Amino acid sequence: MKKIVLIVVFGMFCIGFSEYYPIDGYERTGIKRLKRLELIKNGEIKDANTLPAGAMKSWEDIQLNLLSRQSDSVGSFLVVDESFQKDINALFRGLDRSYSLTILDISDVDSVRYAERNPTLGYQPGSVGKLAVLTALFEQLSKIYPDSFEKRTELLKQKTVKAGVWGLTDEHTIPIYNIEKNTLVKRQVVASDVFSLYEWADHMLSVSNNGAASIVWREALLMAAFGEKYPELTEEEAMAYFKETPKKELTDLANDVVNLPLRSLGITTDEWRLGSFFTRGANTYVGDKGGSIGTPIGLMKFLVQLEQGNVIDAASSLEMKRLMYMTDRRIRYAQSPALKEAAVYFKSGSLYKCDRSKGEECGKYMGNVQNFMNSVIIVEHPDNCRYMVVLMTNVLRKNSASDHMYLASAIDKIVRKG
């Protein structure tokens, strides 16, 4: 029998360009790259990448769209509007089940419109899973400081942690800005890197750094293990905990930390779960469990409750939304020209697998065995046209970035048509 050589390549998207959190957020968060963006915006630093109009919101301008319906059930939003559904169906005529989608138009919060396509079909979520890690972080912060959101954000700003092996290895670079020297370096995470929790969370989302995601997950795990003692936890104490605790116990706790908050939102294990860390270095201490999956319906349930202020609490939901805000060059779905003036809150994820033995063209984001590409987005136009989309695809042998961008423009047109 001919031996089949299978080459597996993992791609987590948002490669080094898409940056998040409102530009004026440096003083509030201590995220240093925001200071550079502020200087660019003010004309004090020249940069070739012009920020789109939709990236200019202040952190104070970002609000939750469904607070007035905070007590309404998620199911009340996810009722198909037949006319809207008909228009959405037309976009996929002749296409197979490789395309799945949920969309909710919230321009009129009292009369929302919902449509879907293969909403329960499961996909490998890739970097979209980092939203579950973000949720785990804010869930644990709420347990440490249940009565003070200010203390939670202060801990995010002041607590610094070292990468260690958890940050290894990932091809995605992180932006390191030296305020005193006004220098910017982009490089991969190294074990000696030390950043605040806010900056690690920003690295996890803004450039989709896998090492940062594993580090944020690690810190959420430590918060669960040490509770109110976590703020004073030293690196030595943390390392002793990981070395002395059985790997199975650590694996079970890590899995609970990141998945139970999703279950409390009514998102089932088959709708969205995370089963493994994002770096090999993390597997030194924590194993994999249960596999990872995402569905359009599971992610839409999350977005609805985020906008309602029901992901942990309203303050946490709002801060998570700010961390999803794109403030630099946009890619894939978010790159659509139709969204240039809009504020977008975005996360993408991908995973592809190539089998070279088939003699087919196969490359980056063009897998011939698997080729997952997922987009999760909230769109807010200046004219109050507002909607949420979860688009998940598995189109083999094709970079689906152009598909996502085309569908973004087509969907925007349908929503605007009303």
Side-chain angles (χ1 to χ4, degrees):
M1 180 181 291
K2 183 178 178 180
K3 184 177 181 180
I4 294 178
V5 179
L6 187 66
I7 299 177
V8 180
V9 187
F10 294 93
M12 300 293 182
F13 3 93
C14 295
I15 313 174
F17 297 111
S18 304
E19 295 182 346
Y20 294 58
Y21 209 92
I23 293 170
D24 64 346
Y26 168 68
E27 295 297 332
R28 187 170 183 275
T29 65
I31 299 172
K32 297 182 183 67
R33 68 161 186 86
L34 296 177
K35 184 64 178 178
R36 180 174 181 272
L37 290 178
E38 188 175 353
L39 293 173
I40 292 172
K41 180 182 177 182
N42 295 338
E44 297 178 48
I45 294 178
K46 300 297 182 183
D47 192 277
N49 294 322
T50 303
L51 298 176
M56 299 298 186
K57 275 195 172 188
S58 165
W59 69 270
E60 291 180 306
D61 295 333
I62 296 173
Q63 301 296 328
L64 300 176
N65 290 310
L66 297 176
L67 274 178
S68 63
R69 297 189 58 180
Q70 189 173 32
S71 61
D72 291 0
S73 70
V74 176
S76 68
F77 293 92
L78 306 182
V79 178
V80 169
D81 179 290
E82 294 301 332
S83 177
F84 193 35
Q85 184 69 58
K86 183 178 179 180
D87 289 338
I88 293 297
N89 286 346
L91 296 178
F92 299 94
R93 190 170 291 122
L95 298 178
D96 59 23
R97 285 170 60 85
S98 298
Y99 297 80
S100 297
L101 168 140
T102 51
I103 175 170
L104 182 67
D105 177 10
I106 56 173
S107 302
D108 181 351
V109 298
D110 295 317
S111 183
V112 301
R113 296 186 300 156
Y114 173 73
E116 62 187 24
R117 173 184 169 85
N118 304 324
T120 61
L121 193 61
Y123 293 77
Q124 221 296 339
S127 287
V128 167
K130 291 166 185 172
L131 294 176
V133 176
L134 185 67
T135 304
L137 173 65
F138 277 87
E139 171 81 3
Q140 294 305 318
L141 285 168
S142 74
K143 292 182 177 181
I144 295 174
Y145 296 119
D147 301 319
S148 175
F149 188 76
E150 289 71 23
K151 287 184 179 180
R152 299 178 211 174
T153 54
E154 187 66 16
L155 183 63
L156 289 173
K157 184 178 180 180
Q158 300 298 335
K159 177 78 171 179
T160 60
V161 296
K162 187 176 179 180
V165 297
W166 302 75
L168 310 175
T169 60
D170 180 27
E171 65 179 20
H172 300 104
T173 61
I174 57 172
I176 302 174
Y177 179 59
N178 186 308
I179 293 177
E180 290 73 26
K181 297 179 180 179
N182 190 25
T183 57
L184 177 69
V185 175
K186 294 184 178 182
R187 61 160 174 79
Q188 293 171 297
V189 171
V190 297
S192 59
D193 278 335
V194 176
F195 293 104
S196 70
L197 295 179
Y198 248 137
E199 288 197 290
W200 280 124
D202 183 65
H203 291 325
M204 173 177 74
L205 294 175
S206 68
V207 288
S208 206
N209 187 271
N210 295 335
S214 288
I215 292 160
V216 173
W217 191 348
R218 175 194 70 192
E219 295 307 305
L221 187 163
L222 288 170
M223 290 178 188
F226 287 89
E228 62 184 19
K229 296 180 181 178
Y230 171 82
E232 305 303 323
L233 187 70
T234 66
E235 181 186 353
E236 292 73 22
E237 290 170 332
M239 287 304 301
Y241 169 72
F242 285 120
K243 289 178 180 178
E244 296 168 6
T245 306
K247 190 169 187 177
K248 183 182 183 305
E249 184 177 329
L250 290 172
T251 300
D252 289 343
L253 179 58
N255 196 270
D256 284 347
V257 161
V258 82
N259 287 304
L260 291 183
L262 303 181
R263 304 294 87 81
S264 69
L265 294 172
I267 301 170
T268 71
T269 186
D270 291 329
E271 290 176 336
W272 189 17
R273 67 177 182 270
L274 200 55
S276 61
F277 276 72
F278 292 83
T279 51
R280 291 191 295 272
N283 292 132
T284 304
Y285 302 105
V286 183
D288 301 340
K289 180 181 178 181
S292 298
I293 197 170
T295 64
I297 194 66
L299 271 297
M300 183 55 71
K301 285 182 177 181
F302 173 79
L303 291 181
V304 169
Q305 291 176 91
L306 187 75
E307 289 287 10
Q308 287 181 292
N310 289 332
V311 178
I312 296 99
D313 51 45
S316 298
S317 295
L318 181 57
E319 193 65 10
M320 291 172 66
K321 185 177 177 179
R322 289 183 181 128
L323 284 161
M324 292 174 65
Y325 181 51
M326 293 190 68
T327 50
D328 208 321
R329 179 187 165 196
R330 297 173 178 183
I331 61 172
R332 278 70 186 198
Y333 193 106
Q335 194 176 6
S336 165
L339 306 183
K340 185 177 180 181
E341 305 296 321
V344 297
Y345 310 82
F346 184 63
K347 191 73 199 82
S348 292
S350 69
L351 184 146
Y352 58 91
K353 183 184 295 184
C354 286
D355 182 354
R356 309 290 184 184
S357 69
K358 293 185 176 183
E360 299 173 337
E361 182 179 358
C362 189
K364 200 168 188 178
Y365 306 116
M366 296 177 62
N368 62 352
V369 178
Q370 294 176 344
N371 199 43
F372 297 109
M373 187 174 285
N374 310 311
S375 295
V376 176
I377 190 167
I378 301 168
V379 177
E380 296 176 350
H381 284 287
D383 63 359
N384 203 47
C385 174
R386 301 182 177 193
Y387 59 93
M388 304 183 287
V389 177
V390 180
L391 174 63
M392 310 187 86
T393 61
N394 184 26
V395 183
L396 301 181
R397 297 176 292 278
K398 178 183 180 181
N399 189 329
S400 296
S402 58
D403 275 5
H404 281 233
M405 187 172 66
Y406 162 76
L407 285 167
S409 297
I411 288 169
D412 193 76
K413 186 175 181 180
I414 289 172
V415 175
R416 286 189 166 283
K417 186 181 74 171

